[in-house]
């Protein structure tokens, strides 16, 4: 059954013309990819546009797809490149992806996670607590230097390994490891009362 297939096998089936394989891939990866994009650009409207663009790029690249890396690594590399293009087009946050600015903080975007709806069956008290926690997490993420935030989101949302993140971002494994360690430390400090 296709739902048991690996991502790479599904993408190969899609490359061969199986549209159902793409549907399964999309269902598996749409939420983590959207959250990565939304937390990187800080705007739900921009994230929607970028999310659609990334999936269109996957569709257009299907004939050239080769399983040289795990599918999520390939997908998040496409997403990262689309984000960089987006920043260049809008002439903002570009410095965040300039390796020479690695130690500098860039302004965080407008937090979008607090606008995500909670389940309708939850009580107002639970909704308020979730909203408050989501706002705090969004603010803590926005306060991270952009390169640290990127590595953290690729690890958490993309479920990528250090080697895969290094591959996606084009930097060394040790640099990736350091960025992730610093990001985790800063997030723990910012959110220590929630832990």
């Amino acid at each position: 059954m296709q739902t048991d297939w690996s991502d790479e096998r599904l993408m190969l089936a899609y490359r061969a013309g199986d549209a159902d394989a793409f549907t399964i891939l999309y269902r598996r990866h749409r939420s983590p990819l959207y959250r990565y994009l939304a937390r990187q650009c800080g705007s739900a409207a921009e994230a929607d546009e970028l999310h659609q663009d990334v999936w269109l790029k996957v569709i257009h690249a299907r004939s050239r797809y080769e399983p040289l890396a795990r599918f999520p690594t390939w997908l998040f590399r496409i997403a990262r490149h689309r984000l960089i293009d987006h920043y260049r087009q809008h002439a903002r946050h570009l410095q965040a992806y300039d390796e020479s600015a690695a130690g500098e903080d860039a302004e965080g975007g407008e937090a979008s996670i607090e606008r995500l709806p909670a389940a309708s069956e939850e009580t107002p008290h639970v909704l308020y607590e979730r909203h408050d926690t989501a706002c705090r997490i969004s603010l803590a993420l926005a306060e991270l230097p952009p390169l640290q935030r990127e590595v953290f989101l690729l690890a958490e949302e993309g479920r990528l390994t250090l080697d895969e993140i290094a591959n996606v971002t084009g930097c060394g494994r040790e640099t990736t490891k350091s960025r992730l360690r610093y990001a985790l430390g800063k997030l723990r400090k910012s959110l220590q009362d929630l832990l």
Side-chain angles (χ1 to χ4, degrees), residues 3-177:
T3 56
D4 298 339
W5 288 3
S6 71
D7 293 337
E8 296 76 25
R9 185 173 178 190
L10 286 167
M11 190 61 193
L12 289 171
Y14 177 55
R15 183 181 77 180
D18 184 350
D20 290 337
F22 176 79
T23 302
I24 294 168
L25 278 172
Y26 179 77
R27 286 182 184 152
R28 283 184 188 174
H29 297 283
R30 68 180 171 200
S31 293
L33 178 64
Y34 179 81
R35 288 189 303 266
Y36 167 75
L37 293 167
R39 290 176 177 152
Q40 283 290 77
C41 69
S43 163
E46 289 177 356
D48 288 340
E49 178 185 332
L50 294 170
H51 190 252
Q52 183 177 4
D53 287 352
V54 170
W55 286 109
L56 286 173
K57 288 184 179 295
V58 168
I59 290 167
H60 292 135
R62 73 182 177 271
S63 63
R64 298 181 310 275
Y65 175 77
E66 291 296 332
L68 302 176
R70 283 187 336 119
F71 176 80
T73 304
W74 184 71
L75 178 66
F76 280 89
R77 179 184 291 235
I78 292 170
R80 181 177 189 267
H81 286 224
R82 181 59 189 99
L83 273 168
I84 291 170
D85 289 345
H86 172 75
Y87 294 146
R88 285 182 182 142
Q89 289 169 356
H90 292 87
R92 63 181 189 173
H93 303 298
L94 181 58
Q95 188 176 11
Y97 291 94
D98 182 356
E99 288 298 323
S100 67
E104 298 176 15
D105 288 339
E107 291 182 24
E110 163 191 342
S112 62
I113 191 171
E114 68 270 8
R115 292 190 310 259
L116 297 176
S120 60
E121 69 270 7
E122 294 180 353
T123 64
H125 177 70
V126 171
L127 290 173
Y128 174 78
E129 285 182 2
R130 176 177 286 166
H131 175 76
D132 185 56
T133 301
C135 287
R136 298 237 353 251
I137 292 169
S138 288
L139 289 173
L141 282 171
E143 290 174 0
L144 289 176
L147 296 172
Q148 289 176 20
R149 181 175 55 242
E150 176 182 52
V151 168
F152 175 79
L153 291 172
L154 287 169
E156 289 302 310
E157 297 296 349
R159 303 265 190 243
L160 302 182
T161 66
L162 285 175
D163 290 330
E164 290 169 333
I165 295 168
N167 186 332
V168 167
T169 60
C171 65
R173 186 181 194 282
E174 291 304 313
T175 301
T176 300
K177 187 176 179 180

